[in-house]
Amino acid sequence: MLRQSQSDSDVADAAAQDGGGGKRRQRARLACVRCHKLKVKCDRLLPCNRCRTSGWAGQCNYTHVTDAPAAAASSSSVPEEPTSKTSEPIGTWYNQARPGHWKELLPKLGSLAGMESPIFRAAVEDMKQHGDCSTEFALPVNFPFNNTESRKYSSNRDVYNLIAQHRQNLQTYVLNYMALYQPLYPIIDVAEFYREVTAFHDNYSGDGEWLAEYLLVLGLGSYSLSTDPTTAEEFFMAAAACLSRTPVMYRPTLAALRAMCLLIVAKQIANATCWTFESCWMLLGTVSRLALSLGLHRCRHGQRSERSESIESLWTVVQHFEIQLSFITGLPPAISVDGMTEPSAELMRQLDGYSAESIPWLTAISESYPTILEILRRVHSDTEKPSFAEVSVYNAKIRYFMRRWINPQQQPTAVAVALDIFFRQVLLIVHRDYALDPNGPAIYPESYWASLECSLAMLGHHRDLLSRDQQPVEYVLLVRFFAQDFFSAAITVCAHLLLRDAPLASGFAIPPRQTIIMTLSECVEFWAAQSHKSVCLRTAHRLLDALLVSIRMGG
C-alpha cells in the first residue's frame, strides 16, 4: 500500500508540473534515434554499428535527456553528441584510469586533436562501460590466488592424471618453452630442470614448488602451439593449486620463486590486456621480496659455479621485470638502486667479445639496470625531474649500451628485436617531456629527434613482426610482450604528426611525413585485427584510428 500510494503521488506531482496534462515522464535515452524507434539494442557509438552497416551512418544521432524538468521545458529534442557516464573530460578520465607511463601523452593529444570530439568519446566508450576488462580474461582475474577453477586439482593425484593425459606431447611442450621463452627470460636452471623431469617421470612424485614450475613450463610451451588455449589454462590452474599448498609466503624456495616468475609470464601471455600488465606489477612486488628474502641480490659475491650463475640469471630476470613493468605502469620499481646489482666483474669479462645473440640477453644488459633504474626514479619524481643536460647524459649512456649489445650488421633475431625495443623504450621515457614540448624542435632538438627516431623504429618492429609471410611463433609472442610499448610509440608518433610546423625528416634516418603516415596506418590495421580479443585492445585501436583521422584531416 505504501509503495502504491507513493507511486500515485509521483504521478500527481509529474502531472502538476506538466500543467495537468498528464504528460509521460521523460527518461534518459541512451540509444541513437533510429535504434530507439526500431526498439533494438544500440551499442552507443557514433555512428553505431547498426546504422553504419545499414547505410544510415550519416543520420545516426543521439537525443539525451539527462534532467527531466529541463527536458520538459525544452520545446523539442536537440541532437547532441553521445555523452559518457561521467561529465569529466575524457583526457582526465583516461589519465586516472590508466596509470601507464604514456598517460601524459593523452592530454597533449587532446589539445592537438580535440580529445572531447565525438570520435574520441566513441573510442573510449567501451573502456568506460567495461572498465575492468575482466570478462575477456583467459585466466581468472585474481590468478594465481584463490581460484575456484583450480579446486579440481586439490590433490597431487589429480595433477599427475593431468600430466599423464598429455604424455605424448610433454617433450614437445618443454622443448617449445626452452626455444621461445628461455632465451628472453632465463628463469629455469635448464640442466637441473631436465634432471628433475626425469626423476619425476620415473616415480611420479615431486614437491609442490617444483611441480608448479613444471606445470607452468608445460602450459607456456603448449600455449603457442595450439589455437585452443584450454590445455595451457588447465596446466596453469593446476600450477596455481600446487603453489597454494606450499609455504611460499613463509619459507620460499628457489623453485617457488621460479614458479612465481613464470606466473608473471603466463599472465602476460594469456591475458593480453593493459589491466593484466598492471596487476603483474602488484604480483611482482611479492616476487621481488621473496627474491630478496632468499638473498639473490648477494649472489654475485659468492663463489662462482653453475648453480650460482643460474641464481644470478634468476635475479636478473626479477630486476628486468621490475624495469619492464615500471615502463608499462608508470609506477616505481620495488627494488631500490642499492638493491639493483650489476653482473660480477668475472662474468662481464667472459661476456666481452660476445653479442646478445650468443648469450642470455638479460645477463648482457643487466649492467645497464642501475642507470635505467635511476632514470625511472628521476622521471617518476615530482621534485627531481632531470634537466635537459642530465637527459643528454642519460641518452649517451643508453646509446652506449645499445652499441655494446646490438649489432646492426647481423640479421635481427627475436632476442635482438627485444633488446632494441627495450632500450628505445628507455630513450622514449627519458626524452618524453622535452621532446613533446610545443617548442621542442627548436629548443630541445636532441630530445625531439631522439623521440621521433625511437618511436618510428618501434613502429617498424611492430610492422615487421606481424607482416612476415611465415612468422615464427616467437615473433608473435614478442608482440604480446611489447604490446603497450608499441602503443606508446604509436601515440608518440601521432603527437609529432599533429604538430603541423614540426620537422619530420632529417637526412636519411627519418622518413618524410607521408611515409610516416603509411607506417602508422599499417600498425593501426594490426591493432584492428586484434581489437576483438579484449576491451583494452579495442580501445587502443579506436584511439589510434581516431588520431589517424585527425592527422589526415590536418593534411
Side-chain angles (χ1 to χ4, degrees):
M1 293 296 294
L2 179 61
R3 184 176 301 173
Q4 179 66 31
S5 62
Q6 184 176 354
S7 177
D8 294 341
S9 176
D10 292 342
V11 172
D13 291 342
Q17 291 180 1
D18 292 333
K23 189 175 180 179
R24 294 182 62 186
R25 178 168 60 90
Q26 298 200 28
R27 293 182 174 88
R29 185 182 301 169
L30 300 179
C32 72
V33 173
R34 186 168 179 271
C35 288
H36 177 74
K37 289 181 179 179
L38 296 175
K39 293 182 171 58
V40 293
K41 187 175 181 180
C42 180
D43 58 13
R44 307 176 190 175
L45 302 180
L46 186 63
C48 71
N49 286 327
R50 189 177 296 275
C51 289
R52 184 187 296 111
T53 55
S54 58
W56 291 80
Q59 288 75 34
C60 182
N61 55 55
Y62 292 76
T63 301
H64 289 284
V65 183
T66 57
D67 182 64
S74 63
S75 58
S76 62
S77 60
V78 180
E80 298 176 353
E81 295 178 5
T83 58
S84 57
K85 291 184 178 181
T86 60
S87 59
E88 61 184 344
I90 285 183
T92 302
W93 172 84
Y94 207 81
N95 191 25
Q96 294 171 350
R98 304 260 57 81
H101 72 265
W102 42 263
K103 65 180 182 180
E104 297 179 12
L105 288 172
L106 291 173
K108 295 178 184 291
L109 291 171
S111 63
L112 294 170
M115 184 66 78
E116 299 304 317
S117 66
I119 193 168
F120 280 99
R121 287 194 173 277
V124 299
E125 188 68 21
D126 272 357
M127 184 67 79
K128 299 188 69 145
Q129 293 181 20
H130 311 286
D132 61 357
C133 312
S134 60
T135 57
E136 302 185 19
F137 279 2
L139 294 175
V141 178
N142 209 37
F143 180 80
F145 304 110
N146 195 29
N147 297 309
T148 57
E149 293 87 344
S150 63
R151 291 178 182 173
K152 56 184 173 182
Y153 301 109
S154 57
S155 69
N156 283 349
R157 180 55 53 190
D158 298 322
V159 176
Y160 299 156
N161 291 336
L162 173 65
I163 296 175
Q165 293 172 16
H166 301 274
R167 177 181 291 274
Q168 68 276 14
N169 296 320
L170 294 179
Q171 184 176 4
T172 303
Y173 294 160
V174 172
L175 292 176
N176 190 52
Y177 173 86
M178 295 299 176
L180 302 182
Y181 302 89
Q182 186 68 7
L184 293 177
Y185 301 111
I187 298 171
I188 301 298
D189 184 338
V190 179
E192 180 183 358
F193 179 80
Y194 278 125
R195 287 193 296 268
E196 291 175 332
V197 168
T198 302
F200 170 77
H201 285 285
D202 286 341
N203 54 20
Y204 263 76
S205 64
D207 57 66
E209 292 92 341
W210 181 84
L211 201 55
E213 178 185 345
Y214 183 39
L215 288 164
L216 287 163
V217 168
L218 294 175
L220 288 168
S222 67
Y223 196 88
S224 55
L225 293 179
S226 174
T227 55
D228 181 12
T230 304
T231 300
E233 291 167 12
E234 290 299 319
F235 283 129
F236 294 155
M237 291 298 105
C242 290
L243 200 61
S244 67
R245 296 196 294 270
T246 67
V248 61
M249 301 298 293
Y250 171 66
R251 191 175 295 170
T253 64
L254 283 175
L257 182 61
R258 289 193 173 98
M260 295 288 284
C261 290
L262 290 171
L263 286 172
I264 294 176
V265 177
K267 286 172 71 74
Q268 295 182 6
I269 288 293
N271 295 342
T273 67
C274 51
W275 287 88
T276 299
F277 285 88
E278 291 167 14
S279 68
C280 285
W281 181 83
M282 290 169 278
L283 177 60
L284 182 61
T286 300
V287 173
S288 301
R289 284 159 177 79
L290 291 177
L292 291 170
S293 70
L294 288 170
L296 265 64
H297 57 299
R298 303 189 188 95
C299 62
R300 73 188 185 101
H301 300 297
Q303 205 171 26
R304 303 300 298 174
S305 65
E306 181 182 342
R307 181 174 175 81
S308 67
E309 290 178 6
S310 172
I311 294 174
E312 183 172 343
S313 294
L314 181 59
W315 174 237
T316 303
V317 170
V318 175
Q319 295 177 92
H320 182 75
F321 282 157
E322 287 280 354
I323 291 174
Q324 186 185 41
L325 291 176
S326 184
F327 288 171
I328 294 171
T329 63
L331 298 169
I335 300 176
S336 65
V337 178
D338 295 335
M340 192 74 73
T341 57
E342 298 183 16
S344 61
E346 179 181 347
L347 179 60
M348 293 311 299
R349 283 195 298 271
Q350 294 174 2
L351 297 180
D352 283 339
Y354 291 87
S355 68
E357 313 302 322
S358 55
I359 58 174
W361 71 283
L362 286 176
T363 305
I365 64 172
S366 58
E367 63 173 334
S368 67
Y369 289 171
T371 300
I372 295 175
L373 193 69
E374 175 66 17
I375 290 173
L376 291 174
R377 186 188 68 81
R378 296 289 301 279
V379 169
H380 295 327
S381 173
D382 294 330
T383 58
E384 298 183 61
K385 295 284 186 182
S387 65
F388 183 63
E390 291 172 318
V391 165
S392 299
V393 173
Y394 289 141
N395 177 79
K397 290 182 178 180
I398 299 302
R399 298 279 184 182
Y400 163 75
F401 294 130
M402 294 177 70
R403 291 192 301 270
R404 177 173 171 82
W405 296 115
I406 302 175
N407 186 352
Q409 305 302 323
Q410 294 181 348
Q411 182 69 21
T413 63
V415 172
V417 171
L419 193 57
D420 192 59
I421 293 171
F422 176 78
F423 282 127
R424 290 191 182 278
Q425 188 64 295
V426 177
L427 290 174
L428 277 179
I429 291 173
V430 74
H431 285 291
R432 180 186 60 211
D433 290 337
Y434 295 101
L436 297 178
D437 187 278
N439 299 316
I443 304 177
Y444 311 113
E446 181 182 5
S447 289
Y448 172 81
W449 289 114
S451 175
L452 184 57
E453 174 213 349
C454 291
S455 299
L456 291 175
M458 292 176 67
L459 287 189
H461 285 312
H462 191 195
R463 178 193 58 198
D464 294 342
L465 290 173
L466 291 178
S467 61
R468 297 171 179 266
D469 295 333
Q470 296 179 343
Q471 37 185 342
V473 176
E474 59 263 31
Y475 287 99
V476 179
L477 292 176
L478 277 182
V479 174
R480 282 176 173 262
F481 278 123
F482 297 106
Q484 294 212 30
D485 298 327
F486 291 142
F487 178 71
S488 174
I491 60 176
T492 302
V493 170
C494 291
H496 287 299
L497 290 173
L498 288 168
L499 289 171
R500 296 177 61 89
D501 298 330
L504 293 173
S506 176
F508 297 98
I510 298 179
R513 179 184 179 88
Q514 193 56 40
T515 304
I516 297 175
I517 293 177
M518 290 176 59
T519 302
L520 182 62
S521 301
E522 293 178 8
C523 293
V524 173
E525 291 176 4
F526 295 142
W527 284 98
Q530 301 291 318
S531 61
H532 66 282
K533 293 186 176 180
S534 73
V535 173
C536 294
L537 295 176
R538 185 158 59 250
T539 300
H541 165 248
R542 287 176 175 171
L543 282 171
L544 291 174
D545 190 51
L547 288 168
L548 189 59
V549 170
S550 297
I551 290 168
R552 286 172 171 164
M553 290 176 60

